[in-house]
Amino acid sequence: MYFGTNGVRGKFDQLTPELTLKLAQAIGIYLKNSKSSSDKVGEKPKIIVARDCRMTGELLQSIVMGALASVGCDVLDIGIASSPTAEFMIKTGAAGCIIVSASHNPPEWNALKVVDGFGVAISHERGGKIEKLMEKISLAKWDDIGKITKYDRATLEHIEAIGNAVNREAIAAKRPKIVLDCGNGTACVIAPKLFKELGCEILTLNSHPDGKFPGRASEPSEGNVKDLVALVQSSGANAGVAWDGDGDRVIFVDEKGGYVIGDKVFALSIIWKFNSVLARGDVVTTVATSKAVEDVAKSYGGKIRYTAIGAPYLCEEMIKKPAAIGGEEVGGVIFPEFSLAKDGFLTAAKMVEAICQKPLSNWLELVPKYYNIKTKIDAKNEKTKKQMIARVLKYAKSKKLDYIDIDGVRINMKESWVIVRPSGTEPYVRIFAEAKGEEEAKRLVKEYEGVAKQK
Ligand code: MG
């Protein structure tokens, strides 16, 4: 099985040129045969192809585009673009998109992320269907292959749409000072221009694209964005923003230099949206998300709907039944009226709009405080992972605890919760606990580490 939680991921000797060719041909056939919101009789399906700025990106993107054309798909090559930009472009009439990007992974990794014509990312399960198609690739006839067209306006169109989704006048009037940490990723090609056009005064960090990520690792974790925190403090900026390598995830730094973790970004996004009565509704999130999100949603009368972990499951749930907003604990927020992508740029623009009313640290006072502790246990293979999860499930059942086992095991307590789940991409079982006090969160992690390892 090549498809993981969200696409096919690997180092260059795993996601090889040969495998990329076969996969992309099969993806082309799959998207061609799938219903799409943009089907037109007599026209070839159009697939958008984008990449981030990794060293292997140009090579793999070229193979993907050739592969798609070889099975009779037209290709719109939008070049280096963020994932939310590529996904936003689907509504211009595409049958889907392939993004060559390993998101927040180290530079030697790359991946193919696939999104269908309705904007729904392809899950592990749907990926299985694509892999079946790899067994029998039928090429298009020589005179019926697809065309590859370059299109260099995708990012500009995305910027314009984000501008229309926020109160530009209010931002331009306040002219907030924002520090942007683009992490040498695709944020470089969109963020400085976007926030300048919104009327912000901007300072940038790591703002030239570089596939080796020389400035910082591409995951915007607290430890990786110390320069951003320091620059926000020394420059007296109103806020700082950092994205992961492909720009779907975002974290903030408040005007005091406080790091705003992903699930708080999500909780704030709910508050900013639900402050308008007309925009309220269900909140969709994964079983790994902070209880603060549930608390915030409920305070506005919103219902929370949990899914398995992974963007595809959020998209599927939001298509199945309407929701006002969706998001992941790692700082990816979906505004369904805009697209089904986690859009780190729209999310950051909404933050900038909000801080024109009051400082970010004041907004944060509305988010209930929980302490969280994460750890990971080495699990050398899938069997070990399964055994660990099974021990936790058995423990939860025997103690008659309140649990959800959609994805790993989440155990809910009155003012705390813990989840133990296998990593989809790495040889670990992860434990995450949250409680009103730090000691209790630590105790929970220790307790469940013991249960998983059977100590
Ligand atoms: Mg990402």
Side-chain angles (χ1 to χ4, degrees):
M1 186 84 197
Y2 300 113
F3 271 82
T5 325
N6 193 2
V8 182
R9 212 166 275 240
K11 293 182 185 171
F12 193 52
D13 59 355
Q14 296 164 322
L15 184 59
T16 60
E18 293 83 352
L19 175 62
T20 302
L21 178 83
K22 283 266 175 233
L23 275 165
Q25 284 175 322
I27 293 164
I29 293 167
Y30 178 82
L31 292 176
K32 221 164 101 172
N33 296 339
S34 304
K35 277 206 171 314
S36 141
S37 57
S38 64
D39 287 340
K40 287 192 194 101
V41 181
E43 276 188 24
K44 289 191 177 63
K46 181 177 79 184
I47 316 282
I48 291 160
V49 182
R51 66 177 164 102
D52 68 14
C53 42
R54 283 162 201 271
M55 306 296 281
T56 55
E58 188 174 20
L59 183 153
L60 294 177
Q61 188 193 5
S62 305
I63 293 170
V64 165
M65 294 193 297
L68 290 171
S70 78
V71 295
C73 297
D74 282 341
V75 172
L76 200 67
D77 167 13
I78 65 168
I80 295 181
S82 76
S83 291
T85 302
E87 292 176 62
F88 169 76
M89 288 299 290
I90 291 173
K91 62 180 174 194
T92 62
C97 77
I98 299 182
I99 304 160
V100 181
S101 167
S103 183
H104 57 281
N105 288 145
E108 63 272 25
W109 288 74
N110 218 328
L112 305 184
K113 178 176 164 186
V114 188
V115 179
D116 74 12
F118 294 98
V120 178
I122 302 293
S123 63
H124 176 72
E125 291 76 10
R126 288 171 82 194
K129 291 184 185 160
I130 293 174
E131 288 175 22
K132 276 237 150 28
L133 295 171
M134 289 168 74
E135 292 159 15
K136 199 168 173 270
I137 302 288
S138 49
L139 293 177
K141 276 173 61 189
W142 68 274
D143 57 354
D144 199 33
I145 58 170
K147 280 197 192 72
I148 301 173
T149 312
K150 266 200 184 309
Y151 189 72
D152 60 9
R153 289 191 48 81
T155 297
L156 295 177
E157 287 177 23
H158 188 202
I159 287 175
E160 199 183 317
I162 293 173
N164 292 335
V166 294
N167 187 343
R168 257 195 254 230
E169 293 72 28
I171 298 170
K174 281 268 179 184
R175 203 169 159 70
K177 190 196 266 190
I178 310 292
V179 186
L180 311 174
D181 180 351
C182 301
N184 306 110
T186 54
C188 300
V189 302
I190 174 167
K193 190 170 170 52
L194 167 66
F195 291 93
K196 233 182 260 171
E197 288 196 2
L198 287 176
C200 303
E201 182 186 343
I202 63 162
L203 294 172
T204 59
L205 268 175
N206 310 314
S207 63
H208 67 283
D210 187 323
K212 289 186 174 166
F213 304 129
R216 64 161 166 90
S218 58
E219 176 149 28
S221 60
E222 189 167 6
N224 290 341
V225 299
K226 291 198 169 114
D227 292 347
L228 172 66
V229 170
L231 188 53
V232 168
Q233 285 171 327
S234 65
S235 67
N238 300 98
V241 188
W243 293 267
D244 73 336
D246 67 329
D248 57 352
R249 284 167 48 182
V250 63
I251 62 88
F252 304 145
V253 173
D254 72 23
E255 78 287 357
K256 295 176 178 165
Y259 176 82
V260 184
I261 201 168
D263 46 28
K264 284 198 177 157
V265 169
F266 182 28
L268 287 169
S269 301
I270 297 169
I271 291 170
W272 296 327
K273 184 154 196 188
F274 285 7
N275 273 341
S276 158
V277 178
L278 294 173
R280 291 180 195 169
D282 287 2
V283 174
V284 174
T285 193
T286 76
V287 287
T289 298
S290 170
K291 206 167 175 312
V293 166
E294 189 175 324
D295 294 352
V296 163
K298 284 184 175 163
S299 73
Y300 286 94
K303 197 182 129 201
I304 196 131
R305 286 165 24 211
Y306 284 109
T307 71
I309 296 162
Y313 304 116
L314 287 178
C315 298
E316 285 171 6
E317 180 65 29
M318 293 179 84
I319 279 258
K320 213 179 337 168
K321 203 174 152 205
I325 192 165
E328 285 187 309
E329 80 290 354
V330 286
V333 184
I334 300 173
F335 298 88
E337 69 281 12
F338 194 81
S339 81
L340 285 179
K342 292 177 289 170
D343 191 327
F345 305 102
L346 178 60
T347 310
K350 298 263 184 193
M351 179 273 286
V352 168
E353 181 185 45
I355 63 167
C356 291
Q357 290 174 39
K358 61 180 176 186
L360 189 51
S361 65
N362 289 14
W363 282 112
L364 280 162
E365 288 164 11
L366 301 174
V367 180
K369 277 189 193 53
Y370 285 92
Y371 291 88
N372 62 68
I373 305 281
K374 288 179 195 186
T375 191
K376 55 188 182 187
I377 319 174
D378 290 332
K380 58 179 188 290
N381 55 37
E382 293 307 308
K383 198 179 155 201
T384 319
K385 290 182 189 177
K386 274 195 187 129
Q387 285 168 340
M388 288 184 177
I389 301 302
R391 282 179 206 132
V392 175
L393 185 60
K394 196 176 154 201
Y395 180 80
K397 283 181 179 168
S398 71
K399 296 241 168 191
K400 294 197 166 46
L401 301 171
D402 174 16
Y403 67 88
I404 313 174
D405 60 345
I406 315 176
D407 189 345
V409 187
R410 174 176 174 138
I411 292 144
N412 294 313
M413 284 143 283
K414 210 172 169 202
E415 289 192 324
S416 61
W417 64 278
V418 58
I419 186 164
V420 184
R421 66 174 295 267
S423 163
T425 49
E426 292 167 292
Y428 301 120
V429 163
R430 297 181 190 281
I431 304 180
F432 180 99
E434 215 182 46
K436 287 281 180 193
E438 196 175 355
E439 282 311 308
E440 176 61 8
K442 274 188 191 157
R443 194 199 60 74
L444 277 169
V445 161
K446 225 172 162 197
E447 177 185 347
Y448 282 88
E449 190 173 351
V451 173
K453 286 181 172 170
Q454 210 169 33
K455 271 186 182 164

